[in-house]
Amino acid sequence: MDIDQIRTFLSVAANGSFLEAANRLYVTQSTVSTRIQRLEAYLGVTLFLRNRAGASLTQPGQRFLRHAKALLLTLEQARHDIGLPSRFRDSVSIGARIALCEGLLPDWIGAIRRQMPDVSIRTDIGFEEDLMRSLISGALDIGLMYTPQHSPGLLVEHIFDETLLLLSTDPDRPWPNDDYIYVDWAPGFYAQHSNAFPNLERSAQVVNIGWMALQLILAQNSGSCFLPIRLAAPLLQSGRLHPVADSPRFTLPAYMVSGRDNDSPVLQQVLAELRGLAAAERQRDYSTLAA
């Protein structure tokens, strides 16, 4: 058994497919099959049922899943601990959606560093799917996202709600118009948007992250889209963006995800710091900007 076999097992389990696991690990499908076969030979059990629909865990595979996560987490922690300079007592990895990184996570990381200068922090940006896989595999300690998946080994905490407001570069231009950019924030946003605008045709521009919509609007100095008031606050204050009159406001919950059974004192301290920072964010008042 080696770490590549453990990573491959967890990837197949998370994706339900040898092919998708190969794509995620940047190896060939035959390499994935060989690693799983060797792992099964070592353990003396069959870990996956293979069929045309993909691969599903057998009962022994389900039992091994918890141990595989613990093994990988232990190996990752050992690698980080051994490689840490002596001035650091531990390391923590945090991943987040780009909208939560923009204007929020840098301040939060700065606050944690001031409180815990002897802790090394790695920060990654990703979509929920990638963040969840990294959390499940143990490669990531904490994930900040909008639409987490629930897993028995993970703790999902609601930390605050984003308020999405329809913003435009030109407050006097009638809306809707051809410059509207639809942002695929989350399934919940799609439902709210469809209920509010049942007859609205598909937008000429569709993006999967708010940051891209904002860059398109600023580059063209024209357009509109739904953005978190928190994210757009500097542009609202400077007059580059304006709320569209009489437009609805949508709620986008933000969550923090971490390992349920990880009792590392450092990780628990970081989680406590993040909860306190999220509580402060909940108290912030953006009402004057949205008026």
Side-chain angles (χ1 to χ4, degrees):
M1 185 188 301
D2 62 34
I3 191 170
D4 287 334
Q5 292 173 3
I6 298 297
R7 290 184 190 277
T8 302
F9 168 79
L10 290 170
S11 185
V12 174
N15 292 283
S17 165
F18 278 52
L19 178 59
E20 183 61 24
N23 292 335
R24 294 287 176 179
L25 295 171
Y26 299 100
V27 298
T28 64
Q29 188 173 351
S30 62
T31 298
V32 170
S33 297
T34 299
R35 289 176 181 175
I36 297 300
Q37 288 170 3
R38 289 176 178 172
L39 183 59
E40 290 176 328
Y42 176 83
L43 296 172
V45 297
T46 299
L47 297 171
F48 292 100
L49 293 175
R50 288 86 155 172
N51 52 51
R52 292 184 178 180
S56 59
L57 287 168
T58 62
Q59 286 189 351
Q62 292 173 354
R63 290 196 294 270
F64 181 64
L65 182 62
R66 175 170 58 88
H67 297 291
K69 293 176 181 178
L71 284 169
L72 183 61
L73 179 60
T74 299
L75 288 169
E76 290 287 350
Q77 288 177 336
R79 181 173 65 85
H80 286 300
D81 289 344
I82 292 172
L84 278 179
S86 58
R87 68 181 185 277
F88 297 119
R89 61 187 169 106
D90 208 339
S91 64
V92 174
S93 57
I94 303 174
R97 276 286 299 253
I98 188 170
L100 292 168
C101 291
E102 183 77 19
L104 185 68
L105 192 58
D107 291 339
W108 287 11
I109 295 297
I112 293 172
R113 290 283 296 124
R114 288 190 292 274
Q115 292 293 323
M116 307 169 67
D118 56 350
V119 173
S120 173
I121 300 176
R122 174 188 172 91
T123 308
D124 295 330
I125 295 176
F127 289 105
E128 278 80 359
E129 184 178 355
D130 297 319
L131 295 173
M132 290 300 300
R133 286 199 185 95
S134 295
L135 286 161
I136 291 171
S137 71
L140 196 64
D141 295 313
I142 301 170
L144 304 174
M145 63 194 78
Y146 294 125
T147 54
Q149 300 170 2
H150 289 269
S151 172
L154 297 178
L155 176 65
V156 178
E157 305 175 63
H158 173 249
I159 51 175
F160 68 91
D161 288 330
E162 299 271 29
T163 298
L164 298 177
L165 191 65
L166 181 57
L167 303 174
S168 172
T169 56
D170 185 354
D172 299 322
R173 187 178 183 192
W175 193 94
N177 51 60
D178 291 340
D179 287 339
Y180 174 58
I181 301 175
Y182 177 82
V183 182
D184 186 10
W185 283 107
F189 171 76
Y190 174 81
Q192 294 178 79
H193 191 277
S194 298
N195 289 334
F197 309 111
N199 300 317
L200 186 66
E201 295 182 352
R202 177 184 172 88
S203 300
Q205 297 183 81
V206 178
V207 299
N208 62 346
I209 55 174
W211 177 86
M212 178 57 70
L214 180 57
Q215 299 311 307
L216 289 170
I217 288 174
L218 295 179
Q220 301 167 20
N221 196 29
S222 175
S224 60
C225 66
F226 276 94
L227 290 173
I229 297 178
R230 171 191 60 78
L231 180 62
L235 296 166
L236 288 165
Q237 291 171 332
S238 66
R240 296 191 68 184
L241 289 180
H242 309 270
V244 174
D246 302 323
S247 63
R249 301 180 185 184
F250 301 138
T251 298
L252 183 64
Y255 299 88
M256 180 168 68
V257 185
S258 60
R260 186 178 294 276
D261 299 324
N262 194 324
D263 57 357
S264 162
V266 169
L267 179 60
Q268 295 305 317
Q269 187 178 351
V270 172
L271 289 170
E273 289 287 337
L274 289 172
R275 292 185 188 109
L277 292 164
E281 177 62 28
R282 290 196 296 271
Q283 300 302 316
R284 295 186 64 178
D285 183 9
Y286 296 101
S287 59
T288 57
L289 295 175

